[in-house]
Amino acid sequence: MKHTGSICLEKTAPGYWGLTESTETAEAIEITKCGADPVSAPHKGRFVKMENNVRNILPGPMREVFDSIVEQRVLGASNHIAMVGDMIEAVVRRGEDEQRPADQVIDEILAVADFFIATRGEASQAVSNAILLMTHNIRSYAGMDLKEAAPLILETKNSYARTAAEAVKQCVAYGVRLAETMETIFVYDYSSTVEKFLRGLKENGKQYTVYIAESRIIDGGRPFVKACLESGHKIKFIPEASMMYYLKDCHGAFMGAETFYPDGTGFNTTFSDIVCLICRHYGVPLYFLTPLIKLDIRPVFGGRKKLVYDDLKEKLTANWGEDLDRGSVDFITPELVGVEPEFIRGFVTEKGVIPSGQMYGISMEYSRNLRGV
């Protein structure tokens, strides 16, 4: 998701980020706590100073990569996770070339990691969790010679990609098995996991009818069409306004999650709350397909997700005439909404199909493993 607006951070538990607060990044985190906007006076100068300090830690070629994330020239959580991984590797390789102490290299990695957890990670919990996995137990290598530490740091970083791919693969396999008895399904809003699920349905040896809602706020339905065409499904592409009419014919509804809470609340693009109400009305089971990396543990410790809002003026007024005053109309709307657990039949994860009311225990266990506790 695109990161906009102010950042409000609450540290959820000792060691949750797995990072020290002795760097310039800690100053930025303090700036952005409790609603302070990092781009407004008097904080702007301090935030920019922190951003520049973290940027200057990186080897030259990686500064352009850093800028591409900060300036939103490249979008998407998966892309950003991969780019942070590239920065980690670049810092390690430079340390090897210049024979820097392992302690120094680790401090540099954690400063970069802390920065992106505090900024990009606020919009997408998957980014924060992925960085935690890529830097898992990194402090334990501080007393080593860098020749010994470097392979361990890079293996931890590289193992994330393998772990993430396997988690999605298993999640999709459970979803395909779950849909084996269904004939007609509904999907809402683009998710790469849901796309893999739609492609995987071929394994069930039959043709599905797939209802795809347009997901107008981000045109999130269109990307599913190609996957369904290539998989041989029958496709019914519908406007969101007609969902009440068509959902009654479906045996199951599926969507991805931008993030989810341990209590079983799932977040997805605006209008997902309407989908859940329609599903409940008709008794259609609603499933969230998501790997556990999307977990947001903060509510357990009193924190909450800060919703991101978009100005949809350009998108919604593309066909308006010049006679209408756009400046007098409010087009601000949230990117994401939460779907309460009572509306969700289950979360399809790498651990299996978990009823929404039973997500807490699995979430806490996953969080403990994530933080190395």
Side-chain angles (χ1 to χ4, degrees):
M1 300 297 294
K2 182 178 179 181
H3 174 70
T4 57
S6 61
I7 302 167
C8 183
L9 293 174
E10 294 290 340
K11 190 167 184 177
T12 58
Y16 172 64
W17 291 325
L19 308 170
T20 64
E21 294 194 0
S22 59
T23 66
E24 287 287 342
T25 312
E27 180 181 353
I29 292 171
E30 195 62 40
I31 291 171
T32 56
K33 282 182 180 177
C34 305
D37 188 338
V39 294
S40 62
H43 303 298
K44 181 177 180 179
R46 292 168 65 198
F47 187 85
V48 170
K49 176 176 179 287
M50 179 277 302
E51 180 182 303
N52 288 337
N53 286 348
V54 173
R55 183 181 186 275
N56 291 337
I57 286 172
L58 295 167
M62 285 294 107
R63 294 175 187 177
E64 180 67 21
V65 177
F66 179 95
D67 293 342
S68 294
I69 299 177
V70 171
E71 298 172 11
Q72 300 177 353
R73 299 201 297 262
V74 175
L75 300 178
S78 295
N79 289 331
H80 293 171
I81 291 166
M83 293 159 79
V84 172
D86 291 341
M87 293 180 210
I88 291 172
E89 180 157 354
V91 169
V92 172
R93 297 303 185 194
R94 180 186 61 190
E96 290 178 313
D97 293 341
E98 299 180 1
Q99 298 183 334
R100 296 189 178 191
D103 285 5
Q104 179 182 346
V105 170
I106 290 169
D107 283 341
E108 291 167 348
I109 290 171
L110 292 180
V112 174
D114 206 352
F115 173 81
F116 283 109
I117 286 175
T119 53
R120 183 63 181 90
E122 178 62 18
S124 175
Q125 192 62 33
V127 172
S128 293
N129 290 344
I131 293 173
L132 287 173
L133 288 172
M134 289 192 290
T135 58
H136 186 63
N137 284 336
I138 193 172
R139 277 291 177 198
S140 67
Y141 310 139
M144 299 180 180
D145 185 276
L146 188 58
K147 290 181 180 179
E148 298 177 84
L152 298 173
I153 293 170
L154 294 178
E155 173 56 26
T156 300
K157 187 268 293 186
N158 292 334
S159 69
Y160 164 75
R162 296 192 296 269
T163 300
E166 183 58 35
V168 171
K169 181 180 178 181
Q170 191 61 61
C171 173
V172 168
Y174 286 130
V176 169
R177 188 180 304 172
L178 176 66
E180 191 171 6
T181 61
M182 300 178 185
E183 303 288 341
T184 303
I185 63 173
F186 172 86
V187 293
Y188 184 73
D189 188 54
Y190 182 75
S191 155
S192 59
T193 304
V194 176
E195 179 183 342
K196 290 181 176 68
F197 160 73
L198 290 171
R199 293 182 182 277
L201 288 175
K202 291 187 295 185
E203 297 174 13
N204 288 336
K206 60 182 177 181
Q207 185 182 52
Y208 284 82
T209 298
V210 182
Y211 285 81
I212 305 172
E214 60 179 337
S215 187
R216 183 183 181 195
I217 189 172
I218 59 171
D219 197 20
R222 181 172 54 87
F224 284 140
V225 174
K226 181 179 180 182
C228 288
L229 286 172
E230 292 177 351
S231 301
H233 303 314
K234 294 180 180 178
I235 305 168
K236 182 73 173 180
F237 195 86
I238 63 174
E240 288 165 321
S242 67
M243 292 193 304
M244 189 78 180
Y245 180 82
Y246 286 111
L247 255 166
K248 65 179 182 296
D249 300 325
C250 297
H251 301 130
F254 297 86
M255 62 176 68
E258 191 275 340
T259 193
F260 67 91
Y261 287 164
D263 70 355
T265 298
F267 285 84
N268 196 31
T269 301
T270 296
F271 225 100
S272 297
D273 47 355
I274 305 300
V275 173
C276 80
L277 290 171
I278 298 172
C279 285
R280 168 175 274 195
H281 179 75
Y282 288 129
V284 176
L286 172 62
Y287 296 97
F288 274 65
L289 285 97
T290 179
L292 292 172
I293 191 69
K294 300 292 186 73
L295 170 66
D296 187 343
I297 200 71
R298 288 175 292 181
V300 174
F301 302 99
R304 304 296 290 178
K305 179 178 177 61
K306 183 176 177 65
L307 291 183
V308 177
Y309 290 80
D310 272 353
D311 185 347
L312 300 180
K313 181 187 295 184
E314 297 301 321
K315 180 173 291 188
L316 296 181
T317 65
N319 296 320
W320 286 23
E322 295 300 323
D323 57 319
L324 295 176
D325 181 10
R326 295 164 174 78
S328 300
V329 182
D330 184 352
F331 297 96
I332 304 297
T333 189
E335 284 186 357
L336 304 169
V337 292
V339 177
E340 298 295 326
E342 58 265 30
F343 295 98
I344 303 171
R345 178 67 60 87
F347 286 79
V348 185
T349 76
E350 65 266 36
K351 297 296 184 181
V353 183
I354 315 299
S356 58
Q358 297 179 23
M359 285 295 289
Y360 184 85
I362 288 174
S363 296
M364 296 307 294
E365 179 183 2
Y366 181 82
S367 177
R368 286 191 291 269
N369 292 336
L370 189 68
R371 292 180 285 129
V373 177

